[in-house]
Amino acid sequence: MSANSVSGAEDGWAQLDRDRPLVIFGGTFDPPHIGHLIVADDVYHRLRPAAVLFVPAATPPHKQDGSHTPAETRLHMVRLAVAADRRFLPCAVEVERGGVSYTIDTVAELRAAGFKNLVVAVGADNLAEIPTWRDWEKLVAEVRFAVLTRPAHDLASAPAALAGKFESWEVTPVPISSTMVRERVRAREPFRYLVPPPVFDFILSARLYR
Ligand code: ATP
């Protein structure tokens, strides 16, 4: 498979043990940064799942203005970011599905593939918008929903509708975001160690975020 192919048939998740939990870690990943890896490591340590799936959205529901990097490029960067760690796997289902990506559809697809013990992990910055997600009440009823702590995002401000419907997981505080990486690239400021080494090389060679 070429590293640029969209098809995820060989990304490896289809072979995972169905009896263990499987973590869905979705996002835009524009680009993936070390914060994603550090918190995914904490999630793995806590749960010992079959894997943490990094699932780049095709078109994120809340970022439909077309300003993000093409989905295939973000998927490629996710593959580069997790390649060195067998516990983390890229998952192309949302990019392959195309259109606006909804977590409820991804959960349905993974359930249909035999994974019954699904855990959806999101950073605390997502908390306020969860009640706007498609079928969110069905989603939180069907999966274990983990909200990961993130600097400058307060878990205490969770919308009332979500009370009691999610778990809060304390993870390593990493004050890094994709926005910060994009801004630094654009401003010609240092960003080398904010992203995994192959992602750094790719951003430079593809001249992203200039
Ligand atoms: P952007 O700055 O473009 O909004 P981001 O850094 O939030 O991007 P996403 O791709 O949106 O990155 O993140 C994917 C998932 O990882 C989301 O659930 C997000 O909340 C979480 N996440 C990202 N960075 C961190 C971090 N430093 N600590 C905890 N969770 C994080």
Side-chain angles (χ1 to χ4, degrees):
M1 180 183 64
S2 119
N4 274 320
S5 103
V6 171
S7 170
E10 292 167 45
D11 279 328
W13 61 266
Q15 284 82 48
L16 292 171
D17 182 353
R18 267 62 173 167
D19 293 331
R20 288 168 70 191
L22 183 64
V23 177
I24 299 173
F25 189 43
T28 316
F29 299 109
D30 190 14
H33 53 71
I34 60 163
H36 295 127
L37 298 179
I38 291 168
V39 303
D41 197 8
D42 289 333
V43 166
Y44 188 91
H45 178 77
R46 181 174 190 126
L47 207 60
R48 305 280 161 187
V52 177
L53 293 188
F54 283 57
V55 191
T59 301
H62 302 284
K63 297 180 183 172
Q64 288 188 57
D65 59 2
S67 60
H68 56 269
T69 306
E72 293 72 18
T73 307
R74 291 181 287 105
L75 172 62
H76 178 61
M77 289 193 285
V78 165
R79 286 181 172 144
L80 293 174
V82 302
D85 192 328
R86 297 171 55 191
R87 303 167 307 158
F88 303 159
L89 290 176
C91 179
V93 294
E94 294 189 354
V95 175
E96 286 175 350
R97 202 160 60 229
V100 178
S101 300
Y102 297 106
T103 305
I104 191 80
D105 297 337
T106 302
V107 163
E109 205 163 330
L110 292 170
R111 286 191 149 219
F115 296 99
K116 303 289 179 235
N117 190 350
L118 294 171
V119 180
V120 170
V122 301
D125 53 301
N126 283 275
L127 206 44
E129 68 186 32
I130 291 169
T132 70
W133 288 15
R134 175 173 281 183
D135 292 339
W136 73 269
E137 283 174 297
K138 184 166 175 263
L139 178 69
V140 296
E142 281 187 5
V143 302
R144 211 170 148 188
F145 206 88
V147 178
L148 314 178
T149 53
R150 186 170 184 178
H153 296 280
D154 191 0
L155 286 175
S157 61
L162 275 177
K165 299 198 164 95
F166 67 93
E167 298 173 38
S168 307
W169 290 3
E170 181 93 32
V171 294
T172 309
V174 188
I176 294 173
S177 67
S178 299
T179 303
M180 175 192 286
V181 176
R182 294 193 303 273
E183 288 175 353
R184 285 188 175 213
V185 178
R186 198 163 296 126
R188 307 284 201 272
E189 288 169 1
F191 72 100
R192 182 175 196 128
Y193 299 109
L194 303 185
V195 295
V199 173
F200 175 76
D201 292 340
F202 180 79
I203 290 172
L204 290 188
S205 66
R207 300 186 57 79
L208 290 184
Y209 313 127
R210 296 295 177 94

